[in-house]
Amino acid sequence: DPPPKENILASMYQLWILGALDNNGQLSILGKSMADFPLDPPLAKLLLFAAGQGNPGWLASAHKTNQTIAQLSSAEALIIVSALSVPTIFYRPKEREEESDATREKFFVPESDHLTLLNVYQQWRLNGYDKHWCEIHFVQHKALTKVREIHAQLLELMESKNIPHISCDTDWDHLRRAICSAYFFNAAKLK
C-alpha cells in the first residue's frame, strides 16, 4: 500500500524547508548534494551546512580566505552526524544510576545534546579510543566504535565529493548555526 497522502506532503514540506526541494517540488542543488549521503535529510543538511555548502554554489563562488575557512565546522559536524546515526552511546546500570548520571554530567554541554555527543567522542579519541575509558565513564564502547566506523565511511564519501573536512576547534558558533539549520523546526521559545 502506498503511504497516506498526508505523510508524503509532510515529508515534502520538511524537504522544502530544509532547502532540498525548490518551489516546484524538484530537487535543488542542495537537495542533490543531500541525496548523496545515506543519512536522514536533517543530518545531511547539518553536515553540508557545516562544510559551507548550505548555500548552493558556495564553494564555487567563495574566495578561500582565512575568514571563510574559519567559518567551517565540518569535522565536528561529521562526528555529531555519526553519533546521531547510532542508538544512545550512554548506559545507565540500575544499581549505579547516580554514579552514571554524575559521570555523564562531566561531558554535558548545557546548550546542546549534540555538542555533548561531540564532547564525549573527542574525549574518547583523546584517550586513544580506550575500552576501559568507556567503562569508567558509562559510555558504550560498542556504540562509539560504530560511530567511528560511520565517521570513516562518511569522511570517505565527503572526500570523494570534494567536501571540505575542516575543524573549528573550540569555536562552536558556526557549528551551532549548522545544527540550527537542520533542526530549526524542533526549536521552541522559552517563556
Side-chain angles (χ1 to χ4, degrees), residues 24-52:
N24 297 319
Q26 300 299 311
L27 273 179
S28 65
I29 295 169
L30 175 61
K32 289 176 184 174
S33 294
M34 289 169 61
D36 288 337
F37 289 89
L39 298 168
D40 287 337
L43 294 177
K45 170 72 181 272
L46 191 164
L47 187 57
L48 291 168
F49 189 98

Side-chain angles (χ1 to χ4, degrees), residues 106-123:
K106 295 175 185 174
F107 300 110
F108 188 65
V109 178
E111 68 266 19
S112 173
D113 291 341
H114 298 91
L115 297 177
T116 298
L117 292 172
L118 172 63
N119 190 25
V120 170
Y121 187 88
Q122 288 177 331
Q123 293 302 315

Side-chain angles (χ1 to χ4, degrees), residues 28-31 33 48 51-64:
S28 65
I29 295 169
L30 175 61
S33 294
L48 291 168
Q53 296 193 351
N55 180 11
W58 179 85
L59 281 179
S61 63
H63 299 292
K64 294 184 181 181

Side-chain angles (χ1 to χ4, degrees), residues 131-184:
K131 185 175 184 176
H132 179 68
W133 181 91
C134 290
E135 291 169 2
I136 62 174
H137 290 95
F138 298 94
V139 177
Q140 297 185 55
H141 183 261
K142 192 174 190 177
L144 278 180
T145 300
K146 186 67 176 171
V147 169
R148 190 175 178 197
E149 291 171 9
I150 293 168
H151 180 276
Q153 292 169 5
L154 291 174
L155 178 59
E156 187 176 312
L157 184 56
M158 285 176 67
E159 290 170 348
S160 74
K161 303 288 180 190
N162 295 318
I163 297 172
H165 182 254
I166 297 171
S167 176
C168 64
D169 295 317
T170 57
D171 181 14
W172 289 350
D173 284 345
H174 187 267
L175 183 58
R176 287 182 186 101
R177 283 191 289 277
I179 293 167
C180 288
S181 79
Y183 289 103
F184 61 89

